[in-house]
Every structure is written in C-alpha cells, then in structure tokens.
Amino acid sequence: MAAIQAKPTRMELSNLKKRRQVAVRGHKMMKDKRDELVRRFIVYARRNKELRDEVEQKLSAAMRSFVLARASMSSAEIEEALMYPARAASVYAQTTSVLSIPVPKLAMETQEGYSYPYGYATTSAELDAAVQQLAESLPLLLELAEVEKACSRLADEIEKTRRRVNALEYVMIPQFNETIRSIQMKLEENDRQNTTRLMKTKEMLQADR
C-alpha cells in the first residue's frame, strides 16, 4: 500500500492522525448508512414481490374474463362497450425522501362510485368481471411502479455507499496508517540520532576537562 506523501515532522504527524480519525468516523457512518439502506431495500423488495404477484393474478384473471367475454360477444360489441372510460382518473406524481434519497410517490384521484360505461343488453357478465378486475389493478400498478423505482434508486445508492466504504476501509485508512507509521519510525530514528550525538558531545566535553 503506497503511503501518502508527507513531510516527516511532528506537526504533519498530528495532522495525519486527525485526518485518520475523521476517516475512521466517516467509515463507521458510511457502514451504518449502507446497512440501513440494505434493510430498507429488503423491505421494498418484499413489498415489490407481493405487489407483483397480486397484480399478475388480477391481470391474469382479467385476461381470462376477456377471453370468455370474447367467446360470447363479437369484436365490434366489445370495442363499442369499451369505447368510453368507466370513470375519470387523475394520477399525481410527487417525491418523498428515504434516507435523503428522493423516491417517487404516486397518487390517484377518481370519481366516487363506480358504473360500467356500457349497457347490459349486449354485454356479458365476463366483460363486467374483466373491467372490474382491471379497475382494481390500477392502484396496485401505481404502487408497484413507485416501489420498483424506489428499489432501483436504493440499489444505486447502496452500490455508491459500498464503494465509498471500501475506498475508506481498503485504501484511505491503510494509507494513513502506513504514512503515520513511516513518519513515527523516521522521528524515532531522528531522536536516536540526536541522543547519540548528545552522548558523544558529552563524552568529548568530559574528555577535554
């Protein structure tokens, strides 16, 4: 591990020790942040799986109902029945924060009550079931979209934090340790040399007396 370029002085040694202390504190904070991000990610990932399974079940049921409706109705009748929406819906996108990470928050507003946009004379009960199942799937699809985006952003932040933790743990802190050790050895060597010179000087002065 290459040491940091620094002058072998006591002032520089003191500065390096302070910087190492900051790096160690930063490393602990980053590790704590990474662990909390992973915990939050697991919560979102589990919710994502639950939503995906529920949405797939509802959409599969809706598709089966459409197939049954198609068997008893013509394409023109189905197209005419579904030409107009059952009710108006508005989707609003906002952002919320998860550990200072912006994630989307989707909200939907719909009219009160529910009514089919077609008459019952030329339609089948299977078409009613399909429309109802799709309407129930929409809020789940919105939540699934925001949860999946949150998972994606948390995963990106986990990777960034992991790289920072590794850089501190395996690069910066070892470099500080190596440089501090090198300076300490150099200072100790200088102290020994100074002590040796003082002893020799003392011996010479005593010999001259």
Side-chain angles (χ1 to χ4, degrees), residues 15-206:
N15 290 336
L16 284 171
K17 286 182 177 180
K18 291 178 181 178
R19 290 172 62 187
R20 181 180 62 178
Q21 188 177 6
V22 172
V24 170
R25 286 202 304 267
H27 176 256
K28 183 181 183 305
M29 291 174 62
M30 284 293 173
K31 283 187 69 176
D32 292 343
K33 179 182 178 181
R34 181 197 61 189
D35 294 343
E36 181 62 18
L37 283 169
V38 171
R39 190 189 69 80
R40 296 287 186 95
F41 177 83
I42 291 173
V43 172
Y44 275 100
R46 287 174 179 168
R47 180 57 180 161
N48 181 73
K49 185 179 184 306
E50 293 172 359
L51 285 169
R52 182 169 290 277
D53 291 342
E54 189 174 357
V55 166
E56 287 178 354
Q57 289 175 2
K58 286 188 176 294
L59 291 181
S60 296
M63 291 304 105
R64 287 194 296 270
S65 298
F66 268 122
V67 170
L68 294 175
R70 183 69 181 273
S72 59
M73 297 173 61
S74 66
S75 299
E77 289 173 334
I78 293 179
E79 184 176 351
E80 181 180 357
L82 301 179
M83 187 174 298
Y84 299 102
R87 56 180 174 177
S90 300
V91 177
Y92 301 94
Q94 298 177 337
T95 58
T96 186
S97 178
V98 177
L99 297 178
S100 301
I101 304 166
V103 295
K105 185 68 176 178
L106 302 178
M108 183 179 70
E109 289 185 1
T110 59
Q111 296 175 346
E112 293 294 333
Y114 183 85
S115 62
Y116 295 101
Y118 48 78
Y120 301 115
T122 59
T123 59
S124 64
E126 289 77 13
L127 183 62
D128 297 347
V131 170
Q132 181 67 31
Q133 287 157 351
L134 287 176
E136 292 173 355
S137 299
L138 182 55
L140 296 175
L141 285 168
L142 291 177
E143 186 180 357
L144 178 60
E146 68 180 41
V147 169
E148 285 194 343
K149 190 62 177 179
C151 285
S152 175
R153 292 191 174 177
L154 284 173
D156 290 342
E157 190 65 24
I158 288 171
E159 180 60 22
K160 291 178 184 177
T161 306
R162 184 189 66 82
R163 287 199 298 266
R164 291 172 183 151
V165 168
N166 289 343
L168 287 168
E169 184 172 351
Y170 299 111
V171 180
M172 290 190 66
I173 294 177
Q175 282 182 342
F176 282 129
N177 290 336
E178 178 65 21
T179 305
I180 289 171
R181 188 181 69 85
S182 175
I183 292 177
Q184 286 175 334
M185 291 176 61
K186 183 66 175 177
L187 291 174
E188 289 172 0
E189 182 182 353
N190 291 340
D191 288 342
R192 285 194 297 269
Q193 290 176 354
N194 290 334
T195 301
T196 301
R197 283 195 297 268
L198 288 172
M199 292 176 65
K200 287 184 177 180
T201 301
K202 183 178 181 181
E203 290 175 359
M204 291 173 62
L205 290 173
Q206 290 176 347

